[in-house]
């Protein structure tokens, strides 16, 4: 048995992030991470299945909390409000770890081999939320549209949150992204002829 | 060199689809497919890299055509209209192969191991269309929101199209899904309090 090490997971996470930033994800080994943290590889594997999981350790907890928040929405809430409310409920979760989230996002943006895992996580969240909406009585089509649209809003809002020099909350950025989406979806109703769309596009620019 | 076989790709595709339907994807081998088509395994591999690719043979052509249609949209068209117009431009492509598309969709729905590949194809289309929108001057946030939202509309509209007993066009179903999305996104503006959302939800139901 490995002996107990105080804050081992935190020390390993910090060591891994620093090494990924300094030399890149591909060139960092589990041995490097353990050495930098002053721990053994065995201790590493007591906490993480591989080096990639250092960046995805909280994923299952994250998905579970979002699903729980969506399930707790009032029975009368509309599908998009259910899902957006669930993402907004993660505000505190992310606020607590804003510096970590920023470094993590930058690492994922810089490493295509990490983007696939992040995408799978987002798809998992969207799939779970689609199921929650169907359980709440939405049709499969409405549940898919609402969960996928909310996923797009979360993607853009979260990205803006990680880059915000003014440190405004995730909720602030989610609401801004939702308003932006409303503008994109709402201004044209139905599918107009190209001529109508062009004229509307000119109107929209004039108004801005 | 394999000798030339008339319609080899079509015969192999039909044989593969029939076998996937009869005994399932996992239990069908390339040898089975070639035998059923009256051809050799060598001929199979002249046309497809593996059995999965029988169902994804047109993917690159499909992506290229959508991107081309999006690029050809009027310069003044708004982002969501650009992308929806590109999906609508595929109407004839799908109409020509409606029976094939239906069988293919049913096979994918029945085989989780095929869903991942289909998802990758859809993500590839969305990523390409996001790039086209950015090239046309949309911000990264607007391009992401428009392309992802259109992807959700396409997903739902296409699904309805494959199941339509009345054989209405893909464009018909895309426009119906877009109107449904407008209802989901548009009725509530901004992110209301739960009480406001509840009262609006009651109003919406009363109106239906």
């Amino acid at each position: 048995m490995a002996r107990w090490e105080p804050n081992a997971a935190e020390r390993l996470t910090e060591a891994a992030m620093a090494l990924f930033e300094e030399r890149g994800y591909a060139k960092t080994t589990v041995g490097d991470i353990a050495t930098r943290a002053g721990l053994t590889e065995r201790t590493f594997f007591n906490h993480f299945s591989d080096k990639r999981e250092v960046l995805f350790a909280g994923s299952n907890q994250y998905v579970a909390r979002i699903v729980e928040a969506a399930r707790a929405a009032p029975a009368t809430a509309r599908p998009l409000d259910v899902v957006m409310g669930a993402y907004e409920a993660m505000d505190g979760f992310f606020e607590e770890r804003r510096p970590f989230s920023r470094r993590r996002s930058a690492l994922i943006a810089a490493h295509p081999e990490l983007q696939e895992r992040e995408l799978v996580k987002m798809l998992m969240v969207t799939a779970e939320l689609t199921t929650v909406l169907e359980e709440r009585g939405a049709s499969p089509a409405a549940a898919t549209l609402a969960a996928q649209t909310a996923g797009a809003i979360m993607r853009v809002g979260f990205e803006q949150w990680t880059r915000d020099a003014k440190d405004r909350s995730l909720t602030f950025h989610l609401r801004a992204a939702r308003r932006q989406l409303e503008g994109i979806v709402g201004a044209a109703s139905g599918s107009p002829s190209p001529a109508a769309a062009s004229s509307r596009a000119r109107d929209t620019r004039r108004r801005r």
Side-chain angles (χ1 to χ4, degrees), chain A:
Chain A
M1 290 295 292
R3 68 192 172 88
W4 182 80
E5 291 283 356
N7 305 320
E10 289 79 359
R11 286 158 62 191
L12 289 162
T13 302
E14 175 51 39
M17 303 272 284
L19 288 165
F20 294 163
E21 288 164 350
E22 284 166 26
R23 63 177 77 160
Y25 174 77
K27 289 186 186 149
T28 300
T29 66
V30 167
D32 299 335
I33 296 168
T35 303
R36 167 79 71 117
L39 296 166
T40 63
E41 286 198 37
R42 167 181 277 207
T43 303
F44 180 94
F45 288 115
N46 284 339
H47 289 90
F48 304 104
S49 58
D50 57 43
K51 65 178 179 173
R52 194 177 65 171
E53 288 313 301
V54 173
L55 296 174
F56 293 92
S59 291
N60 290 342
Q61 189 204 354
Y62 169 76
V63 177
R65 282 182 62 170
I66 291 185
V67 168
E68 191 187 352
R71 288 228 168 89
T76 49
R78 302 174 69 241
L80 191 62
D81 293 323
V82 169
V83 185
M84 291 315 304
Y87 285 126
E88 288 186 10
M90 302 308 287
D91 192 297
F93 175 93
F94 285 112
E95 206 55 60
E96 275 171 20
R97 63 198 81 194
R98 195 190 274 253
F100 171 81
S101 292
R102 284 189 169 161
R103 291 172 72 189
R104 180 180 178 282
S105 292
L107 280 169
I108 289 174
H111 293 88
E113 65 265 51
L114 294 171
Q115 285 159 26
E116 191 180 322
R117 177 71 177 80
E118 180 74 352
L119 203 56
V120 167
K121 188 180 100 180
M122 292 192 292
L123 293 173
M124 193 165 63
V125 173
T126 298
E128 295 272 353
L129 290 170
T130 305
T131 303
V132 171
L133 292 176
E134 290 190 46
E135 286 167 5
R136 294 173 58 95
S139 70
T144 299
L145 288 169
Q148 301 248 344
T149 301
I153 295 171
M154 175 63 176
R155 194 159 163 165
V156 167
F158 186 81
E159 163 92 10
Q160 313 274 26
W161 176 77
T162 61
R163 293 165 183 270
D164 183 6
K166 294 184 183 164
D167 283 356
R168 284 163 300 195
S169 70
L170 178 63
T171 294
F172 171 89
H173 288 288
L174 288 175
R175 292 183 183 189
R178 180 169 175 172
R179 281 190 301 275
Q180 187 173 10
L181 182 81
E182 286 167 0
I184 287 169
V185 170
S189 121
S191 294
S193 70
S198 306
S199 115
R200 198 161 19 237
R202 282 193 301 274
D203 291 345
T204 305
R205 270 192 312 244
R206 221 175 290 136
R207 255 179 275 129
R208 271 177 195 153

